């Protein structure tokens, strides 16, 4: 009797000793919060969160790799309990919800007709699921069957899944069931970190928008009168909708399919309407901010790119501080765009919305003079984003360049927004034909100039300014002379009195690019003037930063950074916006800010920045449908109201107004709800056959067969 | 040649899962996806072989010399549980990736009666060391084979048209039964 007891006790003792020694030797210092969080989780080990079990989930939550609301079984109560334990405010966190990126429209009619197993995966395995639209839903309802929470129903009309956000717990069962990958779990972080890919079914306008705003989605909200939802869709990609609603050149509209036989959609006026709708209500729609990650990011530059990066970094849960050299945030839109296009109050609404998320701003501090990148690092910032813009106005080195009365466009416009003396004159000559040149010319007229001559050495079709800016400038009295080049400045007693110009002709450049400029002999003339504004380019002033921190620059005097990550030669230091790309559009600077936020987020949280597979950079070829069938031409009614020309002079009152609610809805209704290959023709009479030509996936759009109709 | 027969017998004819019906709980629990089944299979193979070696040594050098074979079930449970804990401690420290990958399955092995079944069969058959190694490893491979085949079936079942009353565990048990019948077909090839 004693022997077995001794033996068992001995084995148990030996095992205990070995385990004890192993436990000591291989001890892993574990955060006590992991156990506490694990105790709060229901312990179902269901795997719905994608982890191997509740303990692994608890660890990931504590390490902030997963959100506190990741548990699909525990629900809101568990999330709040964990949030309380870890000191997170979870009230603003948005749960991930399933959604389909295919919004139906014409694709709705393309439900897969398959006589075998009524399952998308079976269809895909047997016939590769290819029907008519490569990215479309097969419509056999595998996601519907996979959902254990009855959060999906198959719409009888469209044949597409419809998701119920109240029932969806974000378990991802539908994603696993969908063989075409068109369902995704979308939370705020996903939206911020996502970039368009060639594998997506993106409408042409969405492909062209530098900020990658989901235009069809916000137009769909707008036509249903859901202006808040429309605005939030815009803010997923652009935190400055009031400002861009006024100054964006609408690249998206140039790709609008309506242009094939109709007017392009007035996309930006709709954006301006929904952003003004919020501003005029005086009540801001709350924006979710992720749980605090503990990382500190410094954003140098309070322009559109810096503000955009700060906004998205904050929403990703990081602590952000902005350092701005000017007295106010806003960058070039504040100091370079005249009030008649974008006023300080309008820009302030956007900026206040960003700062209200909990972002600190330091103004009147200049990088390279008042502080350095090393200083930021020493003060606990985990990453730095340089968005210092391009504040140096380039000047043409002509004879007489030292005369008083010659200014850069930036220098001229900036003074309207600072305490500096405004440049006065009677006869202005503006050199250049970009938006800055138009702004200078139009501002000069408002500031009291008797004449403004704009000279441009290329032809009119090569003018870079927005078409309506050029027209407005002409209507207001700016005289434009194309194919004229400046030769030298003329002055007396150190003061500018005129400019010698010369007519030129153009010759096709054999190497591509801009044509060669050939002077016309004997065409020189002297134009009397007392002020010349040179709006011929901008650059970043990097000398102090390079001297202080050794940042690398390119031969174009922009910051040298990796194209895919925006990381500079200094680890943890990123650059974007005009200081990296050279002067570009405001919407491009905003896009750069969000892209930088993505890189910085991955850099501080994981140490590596994953590349974006199949990143959409160029327009996708299949987007080029060249005919619309059965789309009734409907001219746009979204013509913005403008004040009379006589009311513009002597004042910087806003020239263009916002469209009305009725115009907004009418315009949004014109949206064809396009995808890459197709567009919505749902309003067609049922007895008409739908055909779209020039689709690369022919035979593809031949739907609503007549045989299906009762005669 | 005997070792070959032993291997065939353990893997197919007397498959620990489908012929001897041991370890059914994880068989049904982790066979919904091939990925998870593969993780479980790898863990089972590793722990079964390790357990067989240790329990064989304890049996041969401690229990049998003192006539204490009646304690083998109790002893083996103790050893398997300790071993799993030991492996878990080391993995957590040395290979966090593998530890995370195995996740909850590592703990489940402790309660997997297939492991206990194999070491008890080793004891009952009074196998020598090499035979024990062959038997335990091929038994575990047999388990893994059955688990992966079943997981494959279940993945296909998920996309098949099945009456609502038969969906889920019901059709899984029916399928397991049919698979078991298929393995019975190996009967007579080896003892």
């Amino acid at each position: 009797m004693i022997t077995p007891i001794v033996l068992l006790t001995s084995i148990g003792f030996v095992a205990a000793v070995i385990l004890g020694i192993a436990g000591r030797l291989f001890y892993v210092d574990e955060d006590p919060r992991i156990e506490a969080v694990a105790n709060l989780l229901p312990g179902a080990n269901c795997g719905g969160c994608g982890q191997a079990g509740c303990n692994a989930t608890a660890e990931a939550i504590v390490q902030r790799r997963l959100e506190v609301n990741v548990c699909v079984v525990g629900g809101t109560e568990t999330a709040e309990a964990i949030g309380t334990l870890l000191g997170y405010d979870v009230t603003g966190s948005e749960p991930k919800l399933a959604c389909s990126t295919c919004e139906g429209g014409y694709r709705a009619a393309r439900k897969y007709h398959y006589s075998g197993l009524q399952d998308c995966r079976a269809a895909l395995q047997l016939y590769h699921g290819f029907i008519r639209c490569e990215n479309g839903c097969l419509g056999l309802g595998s996601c519907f069957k996979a959902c254990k929470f009855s959060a999906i129903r198959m719409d009888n009309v469209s044949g597409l899944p419809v998701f119920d956000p109240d029932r969806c717990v974000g378990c991802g069962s539908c994603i696993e069931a969908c063989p075409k990958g068109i369902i995704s779990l979308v939370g705020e972080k996903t939206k911020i970190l996502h970039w368009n890919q060639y594998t997506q079914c993106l409408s042409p306008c969405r492909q062209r928008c530098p900020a990658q705003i989901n235009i069809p989605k916000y137009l769909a909200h707008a036509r249903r009168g859901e202006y808040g939802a429309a605005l939030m869709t815009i803010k997923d990609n652009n935190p400055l909708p009031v400002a861009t609603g006024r100054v964006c050149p609408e690249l998206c509209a140039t790709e609008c399919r309506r242009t094939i036989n109709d007017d392009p959609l007035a996309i930006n006026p709709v954006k301006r309407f929904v952003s003004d709708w919020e501003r005029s209500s005086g009540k801001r729609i709350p924006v979710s901010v992720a749980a605090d990650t503990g990382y500190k990011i410094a954003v140098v530059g309070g322009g559109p790119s810096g503000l955009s990066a700060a906004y998205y970094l904050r929403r990703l849960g990081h602590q952000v501080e902005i350092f701005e050299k000017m007295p106010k945030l806003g960058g070039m839109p504040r100091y370079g765009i005249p009030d008649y296009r974008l006023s300080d109050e309008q820009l302030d609404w956007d900026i206040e919305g960003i700062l209200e998320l909990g972002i600190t701003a330091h103004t009147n501090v200049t990088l390279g003079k008042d502080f350095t990148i090393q200083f930021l690092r020493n003060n606990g910032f985990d990453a730095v984003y340089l968005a210092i813009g391009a504040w140096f106005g380039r000047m043409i080195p002509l004879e007489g360049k030292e005369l008083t009365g010659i200014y850069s466009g930036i220098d001229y416009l900036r003074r309207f927004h600072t305490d500096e003396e405004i440049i006065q004159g009677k006869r202005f000559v503006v050199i250049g034909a970009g938006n800055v040149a138009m702004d200078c010319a139009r501002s000069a007229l408002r500031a009291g100039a008797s004449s403004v001559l704009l000279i441009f050495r290329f032809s009119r079709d090569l003018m870079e300014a927005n078409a309506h800016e050029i027209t407005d400038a002409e209507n207001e009295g700016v005289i434009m002379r194309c194919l004229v080049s400046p030769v030298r400045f003329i002055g007396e007693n150190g003061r500018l009195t005129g400019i010698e110009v010369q007519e030129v002709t153009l010759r096709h450049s054999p190497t591509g690019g801009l044509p060669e400029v050939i002077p016309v002999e004997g065409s020189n003339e002297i134009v009397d003037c007392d002020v010349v504004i040179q709006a011929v380019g901008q650059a970043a002033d990097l000398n102090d930063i390079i001297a202080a921190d050794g940042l690398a620059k390119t031969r174009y005097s922009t910051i040298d950074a990796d194209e895919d990550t925006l990381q500079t030669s200094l680890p943890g230091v990123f650059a974007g916006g005009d200081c990296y790309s050279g002067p570009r559009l405001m919407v491009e600077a905003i896009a750069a800010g969000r892209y930088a936020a993505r890189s910085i987020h991955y850099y501080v949280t994981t140490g590596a920045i994953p590349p974006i597979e199949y990143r959409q950079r160029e327009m996708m070829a299949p987007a080029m449908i060249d005919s619309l069938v059965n789309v009734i031409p409907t001219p746009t009614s979204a013509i913005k109201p403008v004040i009379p020309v006589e009311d513009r002079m002597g004042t910087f009152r806003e020239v263009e107004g916002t469209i009305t609610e009725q115009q907004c809805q009418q315009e949004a209704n014109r949206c064809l709800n396009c995808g890459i290959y197709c567009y919505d023709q749902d309003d067609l009479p049922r007895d008409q056959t739908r055909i779209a030509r020039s689709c690369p996936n022919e035979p593809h759009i031949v739907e609503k067969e007549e045989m299906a109709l009762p005669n | 040649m005997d070792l070959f027969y032993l291997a065939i017998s353990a893997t197919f004819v007397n498959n620990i899962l489908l012929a001897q019906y041991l370890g059914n709980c994880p068989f049904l629990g982790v066979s919904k996806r091939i990925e998870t089944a593969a993780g479980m299979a790898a863990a089972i193979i590793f722990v079964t072989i390790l357990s067989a070696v240790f329990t064989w040594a304890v049996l041969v050098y401690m229990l049998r010399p003192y006539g204490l074979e009646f304690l083998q079930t109790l002893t083996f449970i103790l050893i398997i549980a300790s071993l799993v804990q030991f492996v878990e401690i080391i993995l957590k420290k040395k290979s966090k990736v593998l530890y995370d990958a195995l996740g909850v399955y590592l703990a489940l092995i402790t309660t997997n009666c297939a492991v206990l079944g194999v070491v008890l069969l080793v004891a009952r058959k009074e196998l020598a060391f090499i035979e024990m190694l062959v038997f335990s490893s091929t038994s575990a491979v047999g388990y893994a084979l059955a688990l992966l085949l079943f997981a494959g079936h279940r993945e296909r079942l998920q996309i098949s048209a099945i009456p609502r009353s038969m969906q889920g565990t019901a059709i899984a048990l029916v399928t397991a039964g049919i698979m078991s019948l298929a393995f019975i077909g190996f009967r007579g090839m080896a003892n």
Side-chain angles (χ1 to χ4, degrees), chain A residues 600-612:
Chain A
I600 293 169
H601 173 74
Y602 282 121
Y603 175 81
V604 295
T605 54
T606 67
I609 304 161
I612 300 165

Side-chain angles (χ1 to χ4, degrees), chain A residues 671-692:
Chain A
C671 176
L672 297 171
N673 194 18
C674 299
I676 302 174
Y677 312 104
C678 45
Y679 51 90
D680 189 357
Q681 299 181 26
D682 274 351
D683 55 350
L684 270 184
R686 281 177 57 84
D687 58 349
Q688 289 185 17
T689 302
R690 297 167 164 175
I691 301 169

Side-chain angles (χ1 to χ4, degrees), chain A residues 7 27 30 59 121 125, chain B residues 63 92-93 96 156 159:
Chain A
L7 184 78
Y27 178 70
E30 203 162 57
E59 191 178 338
R121 290 161 293 186
Q125 285 176 13
Chain B
L63 299 181
K92 194 172 185 180
K93 178 77 176 180
K96 193 72 169 59
R156 302 291 292 187
I159 62 170

Side-chain angles (χ1 to χ4, degrees), chain A residues 384-387 542 551-582 592 595-596 599 609 615 617:
Chain A
V384 178
Y385 178 52
L386 303 178
L542 300 173
L551 195 69
K553 69 170 185 175
T554 67
R555 62 195 177 104
Y556 305 106
S557 286
T558 54
I559 297 175
D560 191 13
D562 184 278
E563 187 193 357
D564 291 322
T565 63
L566 295 182
Q567 189 161 207
T568 66
S569 56
L570 304 175
V573 179
F574 298 78
D578 288 359
C579 67
Y580 162 72
S581 61
Y595 194 79
S599 292
I609 304 161
R615 182 179 165 189
R617 295 172 189 269

Side-chain angles (χ1 to χ4, degrees), chain A residues 208 210-211 251 305 577-578 581 583-593:
Chain A
R208 189 67 185 90
L251 299 179
S305 189
D578 288 359
S581 61
R584 294 275 179 89
L585 299 172
M586 181 177 173
V587 69
E588 289 177 285
I590 289 169

Side-chain angles (χ1 to χ4, degrees), chain A residues 110-113 129-133 136-138 180 697 699:
Chain A
R110 291 190 224 147
K111 193 171 168 181
Y112 197 87
H113 297 295
F130 181 77
I131 36 173
R132 298 165 185 86
C133 171
C137 174
L138 297 179
K180 303 213 78 180
N697 294 317

Side-chain angles (χ1 to χ4, degrees), chain A residues 3-4 7-8 11-12 15 18-19 22-23 25-28 30 45 52-53 56 59 117 119 121-122 125 176, chain B residues 33 58 62-63 68 70-71 74-75 78 82 85-86 89-90 92-94 96 100 103-104 156 158-161:
Chain A
T3 312
L7 184 78
L8 275 178
I11 292 175
I18 292 172
L19 285 174
L25 284 178
F26 302 105
Y27 178 70
V28 178
E30 203 162 57
N45 288 325
E59 191 178 338
L117 297 172
D119 187 281
R121 290 161 293 186
Q125 285 176 13
E176 286 182 23
Chain B
R33 288 167 57 197
V58 169
M62 294 180 79
L63 299 181
L68 298 172
F70 67 92
L71 281 178
L74 210 58
T75 314
L78 191 63
S82 304
Q85 286 297 312
F86 186 71
I89 289 170
I90 293 176
K92 194 172 185 180
K93 178 77 176 180
K94 295 291 179 188
K96 193 72 169 59
D100 288 339
V104 72
R156 302 291 292 187
Q158 280 179 7
I159 62 170
S160 301

